[in-house]
Amino acid sequence: MLLKKLQLKTIDFKFALTICFFLFLTPIITAQEIIPDVVAQKPVEAPTGGKLKIDGIIATVGDYIVLDSDIDKGFLEITAQGGSIKDITRCQMLGKLLEDKLYAHQAIQDSIIVSDAEVRSMMEDRLNYMTQQVGDINKVVEYYKKSSVEEFKTYFADILKEQKLASEMRDKIVKDVEITPEEVRNFFKKIPKDELPTFGAEMEVAQIVVEPKISKEDKQKVIDRLNAIRKDVLEGSSFATKAVLYSQDPGSAPNGGYYKMTRRTPFVKEFKDVAFSLQAGEISEPFETTFGYHIIMVEKIKGQEVELRHILIAPTVSEAALKEAKERITNVRNKIVGNEITFAEAARTESDEKETRTNGGTLVNPTTQDTRFELTKMDPTLYSQVSNLKGDEVSQPLLNTDDKGKKTYKLITVTNRIDEHTADYAKDYTKIKELALKEKQINAIAKWFDAKIKDTYIKIIGEYKDCSFANNWLKK
């Protein structure tokens, strides 16, 4: 039935997520012409050990090929990450590889462009993560059986580019898929009562945030520093090098401050306003956002897309300012506890957090865009702050430091608690809408595969012709 159908498709998504890291290993080889049935020459070890098998091309999708060893590498990688390969067949693994090859192939046909700068940015992020996991970049190189860091980077760049092409193609397929309230209602009605999903315990949370006040002198020091950096760049210094050395934005500093953005990219308004006011090659004056002070240099403008570099420096918060902020928020808490004002009223009049103060401090779940937080999926830091609060208890002042080092004090309270329950249309509309939309997106992707498989050169060789695939790769 309908929910079972969705659950089966969801299992496919879980499978895809399980092997997503394995895709980093899959070699990308671009063919300029269609590749005939050939058996390659390199022996590889089977994932379970024991006898060797001959590696070779087992499938072609457009200009991309799949080797038999790609499947083995998939099993090895899942095992290395602690996963189980017991229920994953070679045919399933090949099916996932074929999907990604078709995504990437069609992305090129649709003129989707992935720039070298994007690939470099992705590579830095992945290499930083890998290095953190194993402790040394040379161990990463050794694991991938490459002779040098440079050889590994060249190899890895191709993999990341294909992955990004596939991601962009998937996004393009589903970006215009929308769901109406009537479709959500019909989706829910079709679910048999004994198959209704169960939603875990949830809570709604509100907070009041007080930011330490920064003196004009401390702000001016940062502005002067950014102006000095700007002057150096105008005189010939590298903006990217300055960003690596001085920017306090952990997301972009390792990549020389690089970002690619459109007007729909989720940056703060002040940042986007400046970015889209500049010409290529121009450097902004220092300007302020909630994160601190920035300068931006625009590198390229492609239609509605801008490639830029930026440097962020936040003014230092003094101990005196922190002490003053704590005293201020303590006074707010005393008024709430003494019933002089409600938490929601205090949030509207006293909180420095623009995003929450207008709705009484209520937090929005960034994953679901709902106000509810499922306990088992809640951010560990937030959970630790609210788990021991009783009833409508207000926390003591909490010193919070975000991922950019910005310090604030906050009060937090639980405004609503929802026990584990069977799905209810009225109470759980947002979650039901999400399920209905996911099914519609899955159907859109399935329809896309049906059409593109018919129009694309696809060839599967040898024993894999006997596979039973979810998609019609064999064109029967």
Side-chain angles (χ1 to χ4, degrees), residues 33-46:
E33 42 189 324
I34 300 306
I35 300 164
D37 289 7
V38 293
V39 176
Q41 40 294 348
K42 187 172 66 173
V44 296
E45 187 175 347

Side-chain angles (χ1 to χ4, degrees), residues 72-290:
D72 295 326
K73 289 174 183 176
F75 288 120
L76 288 169
E77 186 60 30
I78 291 172
T79 303
Q81 297 300 311
S84 171
I85 61 174
K86 184 180 63 161
D87 298 322
I88 303 174
T89 67
R90 294 185 72 81
C91 289
Q92 284 178 312
M93 189 74 74
L94 175 57
K96 183 64 177 67
L97 282 169
L98 293 172
E99 289 179 10
D100 288 305
K101 302 300 183 190
L102 183 57
Y103 279 134
H105 171 77
Q106 193 59 43
I108 293 172
Q109 306 308 306
D110 289 3
S111 300
I112 292 175
I113 296 172
V114 174
S115 69
D116 291 341
E118 284 181 276
V119 174
R120 286 196 299 271
S121 177
M122 292 167 61
M123 183 178 294
E124 290 300 324
D125 289 342
R126 301 290 169 80
L127 288 181
N128 287 340
Y129 174 79
M130 291 177 183
T131 304
Q132 287 172 7
Q133 298 302 305
V134 301
D136 185 352
I137 185 63
N138 291 316
K139 290 182 180 178
V140 176
V141 173
E142 182 183 353
Y143 177 79
Y144 283 88
K145 300 186 181 347
K146 299 301 174 185
S147 60
S148 67
V149 173
E150 285 309 311
E151 182 187 355
F152 170 72
K153 284 185 175 182
T154 301
Y155 159 81
F156 201 41
D158 288 337
I159 295 171
L160 292 174
K161 185 169 185 176
E162 184 195 326
Q163 186 184 22
K164 181 64 174 174
L165 284 168
S167 174
E168 293 281 342
M169 192 67 246
R170 281 192 296 269
D171 290 345
K172 182 178 178 179
I173 296 166
V174 302
K175 73 174 183 178
D176 295 325
V177 177
E178 296 178 344
I179 194 106
T180 67
E182 183 65 23
E183 288 174 312
V184 177
R185 190 179 300 111
N186 290 335
F187 170 83
F188 186 74
K189 283 180 179 178
K190 290 177 183 176
I191 304 174
K193 287 187 178 180
D194 60 347
E195 293 182 17
L196 287 170
T198 299
F199 295 131
E202 299 170 305
M203 60 174 59
E204 293 180 311
V205 179
Q207 68 182 22
I208 296 169
V209 177
V210 170
E211 297 180 2
K213 296 191 181 300
I214 299 168
S215 68
K216 290 181 179 178
E217 292 79 8
D218 287 333
K219 289 183 178 181
Q220 191 58 48
K221 286 179 184 177
V222 172
I223 293 171
D224 291 344
R225 189 177 177 192
L226 285 170
N227 275 324
I229 292 172
R230 181 176 185 272
K231 181 173 180 291
D232 287 346
V233 174
L234 289 173
E235 292 176 353
S237 296
S238 165
F239 193 103
T241 300
K242 296 285 188 182
V244 171
L245 292 173
Y246 303 117
S247 182
Q248 295 172 355
D249 177 9
S252 69
N255 307 315
Y258 176 84
Y259 280 121
K260 183 172 79 169
M261 60 184 291
T262 67
R263 291 191 180 275
R264 293 189 299 174
T265 307
F267 280 77
V268 291
K269 181 179 183 299
E270 298 89 344
F271 191 96
K272 286 199 285 190
D273 287 346
V274 173
F276 285 98
S277 70
L278 299 172
Q279 300 298 315
E282 191 176 359
I283 305 175
S284 74
E285 300 286 343
F287 65 96
E288 185 178 13
T289 71
T290 54

